[in-house]
Amino acid sequence: MRVAIIGQGYVGQTIAVGAAGAGHTVVGFDLNAGLVDQLNSGKSHIEGISDSELASLISSNFFTASTDPSVLEGSDVIVIAVPTPLDGDRNPDLSYVHAAAELINQQVKSPVLIINESTSYPGTLRNEIAARITGVEHLFASSPERVDPGNTQWGTKNTPRLIGGLTPAAVAKAREFYGSFCDSIIEVSSPEVAEAAKIFENTFRQVNIALVNEFAQISDALGISGREVIEAAATKPYGFMPFNPGPGVGGHCIPVDPSYLAHVANEVGVPATFIKRANEVNLAMPAYVVKRVVTGAGGSIAGKSVVVIGVSYKANVADTRETPAAAVIDLLRAEGANVVWHDELVGSWRGESSVPLSPHDIAVVVTKHDGVSDAAIKACGYVFDCTGTVAGVDGI
Ligand SMILES: NC(=O)c1ccc[n+]([C@@H]2O[C@H](COP(=O)([O-])OP(=O)(O)OC[C@H]3O[C@@H](n4cnc5c(N)ncnc54)[C@H](O)[C@@H]3O)[C@@H](O)[C@H]2O)c1
């Protein structure tokens, strides 16, 4: 098939490589000219895709990137993979989705299968995309992306893929497309079910992470190790699923998607109380971390040199979106500490650069990428570990 993908970020590029690898002719459309040039020169910008894999798909003409919207016309399939962030009031911002729909409306005059992979609330495909694309009998399906960047066990191929379409013909064509590079396809009765499943999955994680974050604080106050309790509870072979405490939640999904569910819940008059409380608990974690650091370091960190280790939101990715490291650093500075950070994957962020890992008065481990040495961390005077991976130091 001839496939056009709108948006070449984490999701768009992942699908582009999956589809091109299966022998489809893929064009990755993005407004960001710098990114398009980078991709066309064979340089991947995400961890799970190597430069050589990308370069080989380009040289065999299975993949090309473009900023020219006319590439959309003549496709068999168009996949929308654009950002769905929150606005300043933490409400859904569908402006990128609307812009993608408008682009298709203007550019595409022959019938095509339009799939939305961007995460959004139920009703988005029907009311925010299909309703804006008029005059041509397109097929519409929703297949929310479940990619977990950096996960080496579960990728596009072996993560079961949900499909819901506006018509049986849309579902059949979407099945044919995804079946060419995904092992397992699960059809659901409507796009709304597929859309809701994705945001419910992430809400499940958000709420459970908040629960375990609160539990870690209770355990610490009781003088027992929350992590040991979780490990012990996880020995039960049924009815329990372990989650790990940490400095908060980050990335594009867990801090954002539940608010999409809360938004529609509010519209239909059902208060999403768990989501609200989970947000509060997770957003308060950086303050809890800094309180523990101040106490652990002897009551004051004013004038102390502090290195924050790992500023991306999770291990082995360079993604700093919504990272709790930002609040941890700001709050450490508010306590008067001189704070630098070490994260070679991120390199530069918020106008600052990663420093080499050397001894400081205090180290706060927010995220630990592979290859960061425990010995170098422990060379610091006081260590607070938010990851549970540095043995024999203070932490959550
Ligand atoms: N990153 C993840 O781990 C992940 C996982 C599952 C689902 N999702 C969802 O997938 C969607 C995309 O996320 P992402 O992480 O790939 O975002 P991203 O920010 O990495 O990439 C989005 C890309 O879309 C481009 N773009 C924006 N508007 C455009 C337009 N009108 N036309 C063409 N290109 C446009 C941007 O330039 C950017 O390169 C979001 O809804 C997100 O919630 C993300």
Side-chain angles (χ1 to χ4, degrees):
M1 296 179 188
R2 192 169 180 278
V3 180
I5 301 178
I6 303 180
Q8 283 298 287
Y10 275 80
V11 167
Q13 205 198 333
T14 304
I15 293 305
V17 167
H24 301 296
T25 305
V26 179
V27 54
F29 170 77
D30 204 291
L31 300 175
N32 180 341
L35 173 63
V36 164
D37 287 347
Q38 180 188 330
L39 293 175
N40 281 332
S41 70
K43 285 207 170 49
S44 164
H45 69 112
I46 64 174
E47 292 80 16
I49 296 168
S50 67
D51 291 352
S52 59
E53 187 179 7
L54 188 63
S56 125
L57 292 170
I58 292 168
S59 63
S60 50
N61 292 324
F62 285 119
F63 176 75
T64 179
S66 176
T67 54
D68 176 3
S70 70
V71 296
L72 301 180
E73 176 62 31
S75 307
D76 300 300
V77 178
I78 296 177
V79 177
I80 301 174
V82 294
T84 46
L86 298 175
D87 66 17
D89 298 325
R90 293 191 72 78
N91 285 318
D93 171 4
L94 286 183
S95 58
Y96 299 93
V97 168
H98 292 159
E102 186 50 36
L103 197 69
I104 297 171
N105 196 36
Q106 285 169 4
Q107 298 289 332
V108 185
K109 299 302 170 201
S110 12
V112 58
L113 169 65
I114 296 164
I115 302 171
N116 182 37
E117 289 209 16
S118 313
T119 306
S120 185
Y121 51 75
T124 298
L125 180 78
R126 197 182 297 273
N127 304 323
E128 308 295 339
I129 296 175
R132 288 165 188 262
I133 302 173
T134 53
V136 185
E137 288 281 303
H138 295 301
L139 300 175
F140 291 92
S142 165
S143 184
E145 182 54 55
R146 295 162 137 179
V147 67
D148 177 18
N151 191 326
T152 50
Q153 187 185 359
W154 296 103
T156 310
K157 185 171 173 358
N158 63 354
T159 303
R161 182 158 279 280
L162 297 177
I163 296 176
L166 289 188
T167 56
V171 174
K173 189 151 186 193
R175 175 181 267 286
E176 186 190 345
F177 172 58
Y178 287 114
S180 64
F181 60 99
C182 300
D183 294 342
S184 166
I185 314 285
I186 296 152
E187 289 178 23
V188 293
S189 62
S190 69
E192 285 76 13
V193 171
E195 290 164 331
K198 164 71 188 178
I199 51 176
F200 185 60
E201 287 160 21
N202 284 350
T203 301
F204 173 84
R205 285 186 60 72
Q206 178 229 19
V207 169
N208 278 286
I209 291 168
L211 175 66
V212 84
N213 280 339
E214 191 170 74
F215 180 68
Q217 298 175 52
I218 297 169
S219 303
D220 183 63
L222 290 173
I224 53 179
S225 160
R227 287 186 192 270
E228 190 183 354
V229 176
I230 293 160
E231 256 178 53
T235 60
K236 185 177 177 181
Y238 55 91
F240 183 81
M241 184 184 286
F243 283 80
N244 294 315
V249 289
H252 197 313
C253 294
I254 308 295
V256 174
D257 300 349
S259 296
Y260 273 67
L261 183 55
H263 171 82
V264 275
N266 198 34
E267 284 195 332
V268 292
V270 182
T273 53
F274 277 88
I275 293 173
K276 185 168 179 287
R277 182 64 194 132
N279 264 334
E280 285 166 3
V281 171
N282 290 333
L283 287 169
M285 284 311 285
Y288 173 71
V289 167
V290 171
K291 189 178 93 183
R292 290 277 311 275
V293 170
V294 170
T295 310
S300 170
I301 57 171
K304 297 263 172 70
S305 72
V306 180
V307 60
V308 169
I309 296 168
V311 297
S312 64
Y313 81 94
K314 70 171 181 177
N316 304 323
V317 302
D319 192 347
T320 53
R321 288 178 293 185
E322 310 273 335
T323 176
V328 169
I329 291 172
D330 293 347
L331 292 169
L332 289 167
R333 286 182 177 150
E335 292 288 334
N338 301 316
V339 186
V340 292
W341 53 269
H342 168 81
D343 191 322
E344 286 176 351
L345 275 185
V346 171
S348 62
W349 170 61
R350 302 203 303 175
E352 298 173 14
S353 297
S354 172
V355 299
L357 189 48
S358 61
H360 286 74
D361 298 330
I362 298 168
V364 180
V365 185
V366 169
T367 299
K368 204 172 110 199
H369 302 310
D370 291 351
V372 174
S373 124
D374 280 9
I377 295 171
K378 287 180 178 177
C380 295
Y382 169 77
V383 178
F384 188 87
D385 175 27
C386 303
T387 68
T389 61
V390 185
V393 300
D394 215 355
I396 35 176

